[in-house]
Amino acid sequence: VHFAFSTTDYSSYQTVLVHELTHGCLRHLPIPVWLNEALAMRMEQVICGSDIFRLDREIYDKHTAHWDAVTIQQFWTGESWGIPGDSFELSYNLAQVLWRKIEADLAAPRAAILQFILSAHFVDGGEAACRAVFDLSLGDLVMDFLGEGSWAPTPDRWPNQALVSKT
């Protein structure tokens, strides 16, 4: 794997490198896009000390206005990262929210987190792994953040199921 990127300062060079190297290290795993991005951003924070997570009332309101039963499925499939504007930005932010819920709210032990990462699969957005490891649905994590709704991954309804793949 090769990375080429331009940066204007050392701090952005470092975070971009850590982010992309994390993707490279995860490349062999069939994990969903949201998990791949969440882990890459978490590594930026751990290794570089960056605090790229921001959640205030304005961002939360954008989340509640954007996510619904259709757009959340785009998140689980990874399609939402290819949609410019709010979808792209909110996808990164929601991935971070979910990871923080797993890491902090669930207080998941290291072994469970590793089991989840190693068993999560893009074909169902990581749903089976979440149920097996944490005994709850990914939809439950989203509901805890956004409130009531149809948040769980529903791969049988994904229009491009045959095209869903990791990035």
Side-chain angles (χ1 to χ4, degrees):
V1 176
H2 298 276
F3 302 106
F5 51 91
S6 62
T7 61
T8 56
D9 61 67
Y10 178 72
S11 64
S12 65
Y13 167 80
Q14 186 179 25
T15 57
V16 170
L17 182 61
V18 167
H19 186 101
E20 296 308 327
L21 284 174
T22 302
H23 286 315
C25 290
L26 298 172
R27 186 177 172 94
H28 69 287
L29 298 174
I31 62 177
V33 173
W34 76 264
L35 181 56
N36 199 317
E37 292 299 345
L39 293 171
M41 289 181 288
R42 182 67 172 118
M43 288 297 96
E44 285 181 48
Q45 183 183 25
V46 169
I47 295 171
C48 302
S50 65
D51 191 14
I52 57 174
F53 180 71
R54 191 174 139 245
L55 184 61
D56 57 22
R57 188 63 186 182
E58 179 183 349
I59 293 172
Y60 179 77
D61 289 344
K62 283 184 177 184
H63 276 289
T64 59
H66 178 76
W67 300 114
D68 60 27
V70 173
T71 57
I72 198 67
Q73 297 309 313
Q74 294 170 336
F75 175 80
W76 298 128
T77 66
E79 292 173 89
S80 61
W81 272 267
I83 302 170
D86 283 346
S87 180
F88 178 78
E89 293 174 23
L90 292 172
S91 294
Y92 277 104
N93 195 260
L94 183 57
Q96 288 178 298
V97 167
L98 293 177
W99 187 254
R100 286 172 183 255
K101 289 197 161 301
I102 289 169
E103 204 173 40
D105 293 0
L106 298 180
R110 183 176 189 265
I113 288 174
L114 290 174
Q115 183 182 0
F116 174 67
I117 293 168
L118 293 173
S119 59
H121 203 285
F122 65 86
V123 297
D124 68 352
E127 177 70 2
C130 192
R131 286 185 180 277
V133 175
F134 304 121
D135 196 30
L136 56 89
S137 169
L138 288 167
D140 295 331
L141 294 175
V142 176
M143 183 176 62
D144 189 52
F145 176 58
L146 295 176
E148 292 292 327
S150 299
W151 305 122
T154 53
D156 57 321
R157 295 188 200 155
W158 295 348
N160 299 319
Q161 178 59 29
L163 301 176
V164 174
S165 66
K166 65 180 183 164
T167 59

